[in-house]
């Protein structure tokens, strides 16, 4: 069982920065995709940034050039560095992980489809005011 715990959210002014952290534990060596999603009130959950055990990193067009996703060397803390924040970035941000054993297929997996992820954190709120 994988447990994810986010931290680092808060309230900032437009143009400022925040760094979100997600500590993951409970999983053994395997292949994975981990990432950040966000959900604003009345809107669907959307993928923000993901990375996987093959080294592939993907960003939503709305955050490219402003957000950076990374994983620490131990492989158990995921970060999201958010710069030049905009009011439209305001949302609850969730850490997500999908973990599969070595040799398992990832065919059909979409790193920006929330339903494809099996583990979720509780979320951390980000509010950006203009």
């Amino acid at each position: 069982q994988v447990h994810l715990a986010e931290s680092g959210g808060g309230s900032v002014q437009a143009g400022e920065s925040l760094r979100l952290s997600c500590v993951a534990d409970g999983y053994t060596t395997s292949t994975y995709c981990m990432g950040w999603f966000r959900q604003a009130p009345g809107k669907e959950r959307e993928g923000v940034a993901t990375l996987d055990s093959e080294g592939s990193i993907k960003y939503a067009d709305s955050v490219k050039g402003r957000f950076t996703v990374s994983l620490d060397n131990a492989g158990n803390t995921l970060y999201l560095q958010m710069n030049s924040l905009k009011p439209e970035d305001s949302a609850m941000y969730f850490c997500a992980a999908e973990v599969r054993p070595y040799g398992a297929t990832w065919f059909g997996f979409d790193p920006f489809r929330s339903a494809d992820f099996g583990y979720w954190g509780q979320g951390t709120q980000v509010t950006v005011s203009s």
Side-chain angles (χ1 to χ4, degrees), residues 51-120:
L51 56 78
D52 65 26
S53 50
E54 296 298 310
S56 177
I57 297 176
K58 299 183 186 298
Y59 294 99
D61 288 343
S62 59
V63 306
K64 282 180 181 177
R66 300 188 298 122
F67 290 12
T68 303
V69 64
S70 60
L71 189 66
D72 72 343
N73 289 338
N76 60 12
T77 302
L78 184 73
Y79 299 101
L80 184 67
Q81 178 67 42
M82 305 186 294
N83 298 329
S84 302
L85 282 161
K86 304 176 181 180
E88 51 263 43
D89 294 319
S90 296
M92 184 71 79
Y93 282 71
F94 297 90
C95 177
E98 173 64 9
V99 179
R100 300 181 183 180
Y102 286 114
T105 181
W106 287 83
F107 180 77
F109 178 83
D110 183 342
F112 278 178
R113 185 165 56 210
S114 59
D116 286 3
F117 287 79
Y119 301 98
W120 292 86

Side-chain angles (χ1 to χ4, degrees), residues 9-16 18 20 37-46 48 62-63 66-67 80 82-94 124-130:
S11 297
V12 297
Q13 298 287 320
E16 294 184 342
L18 279 174
L20 307 183
F37 287 73
R38 66 186 181 188
Q39 188 168 19
K43 294 188 177 181
E44 292 188 358
R45 190 169 296 191
E46 63 174 355
V48 175
S62 59
V63 306
R66 300 188 298 122
F67 290 12
L80 184 67
M82 305 186 294
N83 298 329
S84 302
L85 282 161
K86 304 176 181 180
E88 51 263 43
D89 294 319
S90 296
M92 184 71 79
Y93 282 71
F94 297 90
T124 184
Q125 180 68 40
V126 172
T127 303
V128 185
S129 56
S130 58

